[in-house]
Amino acid sequence: MENNKNFRKTPLLRLSALAFAALSLTACGSLAPEHARPAAPVAAQWSAPSATSGTAAAELSWQSFYGQDERLRALIDLSLKNNRDLRVALLNVEQARALARVSEASRLPTVNAGFSASRQPNSNGVGSSNNFQAGLQVTAYEVDLLGRVKNQVDAATARYLATAEGSRAAQISLVAGVASAYLVLQADEELLQLAQRTLASREDTLRLTRLKFEAGAASSLDLSAAESAAAATRAAVAQQQRQRAQDENALVLLVGQPLPADLPAGQRLQAQSLSDVPAGLPSEVLVQRPDVLQAEQQLRAANANIGAARAAFFPSITLTSNLGTTSSQLSELFKNTAFSLVGQALMPIFDSGRNEANLQAVKAAQGVAVAQYEKAVQTAFREVADALAGRATFGEQLQAQAAQSAAESQRLKLVELRHANGASNSLELLDAQRAAFAAEQALLQVRLGSLLNGVQLYKALGGGLKAG
């Protein structure tokens, strides 16, 4: 009996007990569908052969993969510090993390401290009375019987995780983009040098042909052919200069600042070498890519939204509680204890189909999330398959193109020797020069394509994150 009396005289103990009882009822159930990763709608094996040994791309840092070229490593490091797209992606992660914390806070009561004072006339019209109040208040705390609030928290958390995976995917894309832009710029430089060397050679040929024409030893046809070849090469030089400037601008945009003058020297394309990373099985590789994981987290958020929408069909219970003191005299404010607890239950009866429409909407959104996840897997599969097909064929193409370039170079030397001895005419020399120039250009392009394919394979397999 004494214990019951003490309990009634202790409002704080009573409030704590009621709060504990309310909390014990929350998060007891959930109406969200259980998450299950959809089956990958792709083949079980790659169509092209892949390496079976070596460090997996996702475990191989970009510092190691691009370790042979110090200039490239420096550019990637600068881009990770300065690129604005990556900066936005990281800030989006911070925003999503904060929003998830805001959502998580709704699972617990919010306790406020307050003080109020009022003065009003007495009911008999004579004099006035004062009222002072101070204490703690919990306003409209929802008892989460069916997990509506929990599902909202789960959705916010999944969106945060999806944003985090999106930032990882953004970094992988940035690293690959900088590497590709750098290799393209290196190719532009070598193609420009080749065009300039060819132009110098053709201008020499034009001068000799003009001298021969003036001496009557060459025809106007020979002179016109030499002039055409020189003009075509000058056009190629101008085009290559423009292309180099544009590709440098693209690299500057990715790096996020002008290229420093003290960058280490870069390597020529022929000296570039990229690690041969193993592809593994599609079922093991694809589901670890950040973009696929991002799509899966978005699916989890969609499932949680369904649970919250289903809970809206059932009653919601809210509690409002006050614990404090009240007095008509400020000096006696803390002598009188005041306590109140108000519960409210609301059951939706007629809402013009709002809850049903909202449920259908989130179910449709969940179907969209499933389709987007499957598309992300299919896109990832194609990127890896394309890169593997390139790796399987670029080696043979590069070997054949190198052989053609060497043959055309040898042919040009022989024609130049014959022309110097009068055994070949100017047209034969110009044709040999044109063929040698085209073959060497093609060799550079194939070499660039092979390196870019290696970059894309590394990216497609989830490589491009920092070590550790």
Side-chain angles (χ1 to χ4, degrees), residues 25-35 99-100 102-108 142-160 297-314 358-359 362:
L25 291 174
T26 63
C28 293
S30 176
L31 300 178
E34 184 177 355
H35 173 73
L99 292 175
V102 170
S103 182
E104 178 68 27
S106 63
R107 299 186 65 181
L108 297 174
E142 181 174 351
V143 181
D144 196 23
L145 294 176
L146 296 174
R148 188 186 73 86
V149 177
K150 177 181 181 299
N151 285 321
Q152 291 176 336
V153 173
D154 290 344
T157 302
R159 286 192 293 270
Y160 155 60
Q297 291 298 336
Q298 290 169 343
L299 177 57
R300 288 180 181 273
N303 287 335
N305 287 335
I306 291 178
R310 286 173 174 171
F313 287 87
F314 298 92
N358 183 59
L359 178 59
V362 294

Side-chain angles (χ1 to χ4, degrees), residues 175-238:
V175 170
V178 172
S180 298
Y182 168 75
L183 292 173
V184 168
L185 187 59
Q186 287 293 99
D188 289 339
E189 187 67 37
E190 294 183 32
L191 287 169
L192 178 58
Q193 294 173 3
L194 172 61
Q196 290 172 337
R197 291 196 306 268
T198 304
L199 177 60
S201 175
R202 290 187 178 179
E203 287 181 338
D204 288 340
T205 301
L206 176 59
R207 283 193 294 270
L208 290 175
T209 304
R210 183 174 287 115
L211 289 175
K212 288 183 178 181
F213 174 76
E214 293 172 352
S219 66
S220 58
L221 179 61
D222 293 334
L223 178 60
S224 297
E227 289 175 340
S228 175
T233 310
R234 280 194 295 271
V237 169

Side-chain angles (χ1 to χ4, degrees), residues 117-131:
S118 63
R119 182 181 180 87
Q120 59 185 10
N122 294 327
S123 59
N124 57 10
V126 179
S128 59
S129 61
N130 300 324
N131 183 38

Side-chain angles (χ1 to χ4, degrees), residues 277-288:
V277 290
L281 295 175
S283 59
E284 299 172 352
V285 175
L286 300 182
V287 295
Q288 298 302 319

